[in-house]
Structure formats: structure tokens, C-alpha cells
Amino acid sequence: MEIRMLIGSIVTLIGAIFIFLGALGIVRMPDLYNRLQTGTKASTLGTILSIAGIGIINPEWAGKAFIIISFVMMTNPVSSHTLARGAHHIGIPLSDKTVIDKLQEAETEENKEDQI
Amino acid sequence: MNLKNVLQIFVLSYLTWLALNWSVHTDVLVTGAIISVLIAVLLCSQCSVLQEVRLTPKSFAYAFGFVGVFWIELFKSNFDVARRVLTPSLPINPGIVEVKTRLKSNIGKMLLANAITLTPGTLTVDILGDRMFIHWIDVSSTDINEATHAIVSKFEKYLEVMYG
């Protein structure tokens, strides 16, 4: 019991640290796309670890924890992908550090073909 | 009505129900079976989400391989993000690169895009046919082939066997 409590608490703590780093990344990154990057990855693993820790402390909740983890893993990347796609579509600019934007080039090509 | 689809949805929702309840009492089992049958027959006689999944021993083995690689990459990506965020100079070199995928099925592409989004420094922005546009936090090559090799290949070899 004690050991399980200890392991679960440590796992949950690690998850909380990752969520904190994700929040810090959202503050520090220069543009929307980089913020999404840190936001998605850190929050996904942070949430997974926090919930897994609860599942370790209370084994009878392990099934529910597993279901929540599966849904987080399926939906989190989809939402960030949709946000990034929408943002690019309405023309939110990338930061000055950006080196290349192939999607912009592809869209310009398509527009040219449409006009011809 | 496609019996295979209905059966897949039934098994999936029944397993979800069992995991949520975490007990094997008769009343729980019977209620779950009735609800799962209703969902599968009434709501999902047209669902084709899982139609493209191949159910062979080899594809199961590759599914386990995919999950393993995916978890390793997820942890790597988090340490990578943590390192970048905590470095005072903010070492990023972002850009949107194009990669090609050999996958044909929709669910295969979806899993690939999700896996790319959750792995180190990459975020799927758009998909046009077999071209995927990836926001890369640290662009090391703008060439299509090299970017494909760096981002897509490690997942594609598993997904190709699972979904084609």
C-alpha cells in the first residue's frame, strides 16, 4: 500500500512538472505554431502521467484511467493539428526565426493553377 | 449493413464498458452487452472507420512495435521540448517542410499524422493527398526526401503493414 502510494505520487509529480514546462513553453515561444508544439507534447505526457499516477494509487480505477489516457492520446494531437491548420489558413504569420514555409508555396502554386 | 463493421464497433464499445465498470457482475455484463449491441446496430451500421484494419498476426506484431516506438518517441519529445524551453537562448529554428507518405488508407494517414504531432519537434499542419506539411521546430533539412526520412520513416514501416 505504502509503496504503491509512493510510486503513484512520484508519477503524478513528474506529470505535473511536464505540464508546468508546457505552460512555460507557451509563454516563452515566439509564435502560435511553436506554442502549439510545446503545448501539445508537454500537456499530453503530463496528463497521461498524472492520470496514470492516480490509477497506480487506486488500482480499481485503472480501467477508467486507461480509457481517459486513450482518449487524450487520440484527441490532443487532432485538436492541435486543427488549430495549426486553421491558423495557417487565415494567414497568422510565422515568427521571424522561421526558415521555410513549404505550405505557403504549395498554396500559391495551387492558386496560380486555378487562375489559369 | 456490414456485419464486420458492426462486430468491430460492438467489441470496441463492450471493452470500453468493461474497463469503465471494472467488475464482472452478471448485471453489468448483460447491461453492457445490450447497450453495445444497440450502439453497433442502430448508430454504426454505416461506420467504416475500422474497415481498413488488417487482422493478421503480422499486423498485430507490428501494432505492438508501433506502440513501443511511439512511447519512446513521446518521452524523447518531452525531454526535447523541456530542454528547449529551459535553455535561456531559446534554441529554435522553425519552419514548415513537406514530406511524402506511401500510406493509402485514411486511418493510416490519421495515425501517422497524430504520431508525428506527438513526436520530437514536429506538428502536422496540413495534408494534401500524399503530401504532408509539417511544422518542424528545428529544421535540419528542407529537402523532401531527407525530411521524409527524418520524420516519417520510423512510423511508416509499421503502419504500412497494419493498414497498407
Side-chain angles (χ1 to χ4, degrees), chain B residues 66-77 120:
Chain B
F66 175 70
V67 171
V69 170
F70 176 77
W71 275 99
I72 292 169
E73 292 292 324
L74 184 60
F75 272 90
K76 260 166 65 186
S77 91

Side-chain angles (χ1 to χ4, degrees), chain B residues 66-103:
Chain B
F66 175 70
V67 171
V69 170
F70 176 77
W71 275 99
I72 292 169
E73 292 292 324
L74 184 60
F75 272 90
K76 260 166 65 186
S77 91
N78 274 275
F79 285 110
D80 183 66
V81 165
R83 182 179 63 78
R84 283 181 209 284
V85 167
L86 291 175
T87 311
S89 61
L90 207 62
I92 57 171
N93 181 29
I96 296 180
V97 296
E98 180 184 342
V99 299
K100 292 245 183 246
T101 172
R102 295 195 301 272
L103 298 174

Side-chain angles (χ1 to χ4, degrees), chain A residues 8-60:
Chain A
S9 308
I10 291 172
V11 171
T12 307
L13 180 69
I14 296 172
I17 292 171
F18 276 120
I19 294 181
F20 168 73
L21 288 173
L24 191 66
I26 289 177
V27 176
R28 290 204 66 201
M29 287 297 169
D31 69 351
L32 182 135
Y33 305 94
N34 291 307
R35 287 187 175 130
L36 276 177
Q37 291 255 17
T38 57
T40 325
K41 292 176 224 314
S43 74
T44 309
L45 190 64
T47 317
I48 288 173
L49 288 180
S50 308
I51 295 169
I54 295 171
I56 292 172
I57 294 172
N58 286 308
E60 63 267 35

Side-chain angles (χ1 to χ4, degrees), chain B:
Chain B
M1 193 154 90
N2 187 330
L3 197 66
K4 192 184 160 205
N5 290 343
V6 171
L7 205 64
Q8 281 170 342
I9 300 292
F10 169 75
V11 171
L12 206 60
S13 40
Y14 199 42
L15 286 179
T16 311
W17 170 267
L18 289 181
L20 276 175
N21 279 286
W22 209 245
S23 82
V24 283
H25 288 133
T26 320
D27 48 351
V28 172
L29 293 182
V30 172
T31 320
I34 294 170
I35 295 175
S36 304
V37 167
L38 285 179
I39 290 175
V41 173
L42 293 180
L43 301 177
C44 248
S45 52
Q46 307 292 327
C47 294
S48 58
V49 185
L50 299 170
Q51 205 163 31
E52 287 153 326
V53 181
R54 288 182 196 161
L55 294 172
T56 60
K58 199 182 173 198
S59 89
F60 274 115
Y62 272 70
F64 276 110
F66 175 70
V67 171
V69 170
F70 176 77
W71 275 99
I72 292 169
E73 292 292 324
L74 184 60
F75 272 90
K76 260 166 65 186
S77 91
N78 274 275
F79 285 110
D80 183 66
V81 165
R83 182 179 63 78
R84 283 181 209 284
V85 167
L86 291 175
T87 311
S89 61
L90 207 62
I92 57 171
N93 181 29
I96 296 180
V97 296
E98 180 184 342
V99 299
K100 292 245 183 246
T101 172
R102 295 195 301 272
L103 298 174
K104 298 283 183 292
S105 70
N106 283 328
I107 192 158
K109 278 184 200 164
M110 186 203 84
L111 277 177
L112 181 64
N114 277 1
I116 287 172
T117 302
L118 286 176
T119 52
T122 50
L123 171 75
T124 314
V125 177
D126 209 347
I127 302 178
L128 301 170
D130 64 342
R131 308 159 76 192
M132 298 174 103
F133 295 90
I134 313 278
H135 183 268
W136 202 355
I137 208 165
D138 188 13
V139 175
S140 57
S141 167
T142 56
D143 181 67
I144 291 181
N145 292 326
E146 282 176 36
T148 306
H149 184 73
I151 299 175
V152 177
S153 298
K154 58 194 170 206
F155 297 119
E156 205 172 42
K157 64 178 182 211
Y158 294 104
L159 289 169
E160 223 171 18
V161 178
M162 286 157 67
Y163 301 106

